[in-house]
Amino acid sequence: QSKPQARVDGSTGVSFSDIAGIDEAVEELQELVRYLKNPELFDKMGIKPPHGVLLEGPPGCGKTLVAKAIAGEAGVPFYQMAGSEFVEVLVGVGSARIRDLFKRAKVNKPSVIFIDEIDALATRREGISSESTNNLYNAATQERETTLNQLLIELDGFDTGKGVIFLGATNRMDLLDPALLRPGRFDRKIRIRPPGAKGRLDILKVHARKVKMSPSVDLSSYAQNLPGWTGAKLAQLLQEAALVAVRNGHQSIQQSDVDDAVDRLTVGPKKLGIDLG
Ligand code: ATP
């Protein structure tokens, strides 16, 4: 009844060198890696173990990537689930999944638990309307409450689970139940911001390592001229450019291939055939 289970990566294979443009966040998260590598040392030194970190920011800027890199750098198992996977109508299913997730992570500690889109399971509680005649709605609300309560119980009882780091990610901080944000549950909230021009260039460089790029391609011009493009979109750009290069029979990605890829990934009036005069 408590399927689906978390996807587990022995270790993610992702490292901080795969991330760019969010140096401050990465810097702050180094401490978690140090802790996961040697929880006993923190204990011996009398340092309160970190446990919960909330990653907040718009889609595609690297929240999942950062979470994976923490596990990857520390070489520990990574338990990943999406908030929506806990949302069920049947009472008790979501909370059983939470219990199961934490239990498995504790057995294999040190480890990292990551719940993406945590807002889906931890939405601000409106209170169950006893006047509502919609039983299905009431049951779903009740189930969501039970699931969130179970998550809070797990986070509060975390001292017994030393060596497990809990990471939650959201791009809708405003929707989160305040109970989740109370001190002691998340030690830290870290903003993962969209990259600026320098960040975009660094991200392009990271992804350029993964494809065959001609040294003549001027990545900085793209970094300058693509405001608003996230890490996810820039990664997609170089993948697309590689496909275009193959299609054009090039041995490595040329500037014209990247230009073509930008064009393909840009949806604008011109692309839609709208003449703005
Ligand atoms: P969502 O909220 O949609 O889950 P997210 O913030 O978790 O978004 P990721 O899934 O981490 O975004 O990013 C998707 C992909 O985009 C990454 O696997 C990576 O290839 C690329 N990417 C995103 N941000 C960065 C970054 N800062 N540095 C390098 N690559 C990035």
Side-chain angles (χ1 to χ4, degrees):
Q1 196 48 289
S2 62
K3 303 279 168 208
Q5 282 195 329
R7 292 165 295 285
V8 189
D9 277 307
S11 191
T12 58
V14 177
S15 77
F16 285 141
S17 65
D18 295 313
I19 307 173
I22 44 176
D23 301 350
E24 260 176 55
V26 167
E27 185 56 42
E28 266 200 86
L29 293 164
Q30 299 277 2
E31 189 190 310
L32 299 183
V33 175
R34 275 194 287 276
Y35 171 68
L36 286 167
K37 278 184 169 167
N38 196 351
E40 294 79 23
L41 177 68
F42 276 55
D43 203 23
K44 234 189 295 175
M45 299 287 286
I47 304 170
K48 220 174 130 252
H51 51 241
V53 174
L54 184 63
L55 304 170
E56 191 231 339
C61 294
K63 298 185 295 295
T64 306
L65 193 65
V66 155
K68 284 187 173 172
I70 292 168
E73 288 277 343
V76 303
F78 182 73
Y79 295 84
Q80 175 178 11
M81 285 187 86
S84 53
E85 289 178 275
F86 297 96
V87 180
E88 292 284 338
V89 176
L90 275 179
V91 175
V93 174
S95 51
R97 278 183 197 150
I98 294 271
R99 264 196 306 277
D100 181 55
L101 176 63
F102 277 77
K103 199 164 123 199
R104 294 202 305 136
K106 281 179 193 172
V107 167
N108 292 306
K109 69 186 182 184
S111 58
V112 172
I113 299 175
F114 176 60
I115 301 185
D116 198 6
E117 308 156 25
I118 195 168
D119 43 279
L121 91 101
T123 320
R124 185 179 284 277
R125 288 179 274 198
E126 313 289 359
I128 301 162
S129 161
S130 53
E131 274 150 43
S132 170
T133 48
N134 186 338
N135 288 336
L136 197 60
Y137 173 79
N138 280 345
T141 312
Q142 173 96 57
E143 160 61 3
R144 198 189 288 255
E145 287 251 338
T146 313
T147 306
L148 174 56
N149 280 332
Q150 188 60 42
L151 176 63
L152 298 178
I153 289 168
E154 296 291 350
L155 291 177
D156 289 345
F158 233 36
D159 278 354
T160 52
K162 276 179 192 160
V164 182
I165 295 282
F166 177 73
L167 299 166
T170 183
N171 48 35
R172 291 302 308 271
M173 190 80 167
D174 56 311
L175 291 183
L176 288 185
D177 194 293
L180 191 66
L181 303 174
R182 225 165 271 149
R185 280 157 184 175
F186 285 112
D187 315 302
R188 252 175 250 184
K189 294 172 206 79
I190 295 187
R191 290 213 66 189
I192 308 286
R193 296 173 197 278
K198 161 88 169 62
R200 289 194 294 274
L201 177 58
D202 292 342
I203 292 171
L204 284 170
K205 283 181 182 162
V206 162
H207 289 280
R209 291 200 309 249
K210 300 175 190 168
V211 288
K212 194 145 193 306
M213 178 78 66
S214 158
S216 66
V217 176
D218 177 17
L219 289 178
S220 62
S221 65
Y222 299 104
Q224 288 295 336
N225 295 320
L226 298 173
W229 281 44
T230 60
K233 192 96 188 265
L234 294 168
Q236 194 191 357
L237 172 64
L238 295 194
Q239 283 298 307
E240 185 72 30
L243 286 172
V244 174
V246 169
R247 205 173 304 141
N248 289 338
H250 296 155
Q251 298 298 312
S252 62
I253 299 171
Q254 306 298 310
Q255 188 101 13
S256 59
D257 301 323
V258 189
D259 287 342
D260 208 357
V262 170
D263 205 37
R264 284 164 187 273
L265 296 182
T266 308
V267 180
K270 198 169 140 221
K271 189 89 179 268
L272 297 174
I274 301 167
D275 186 2
L276 296 176

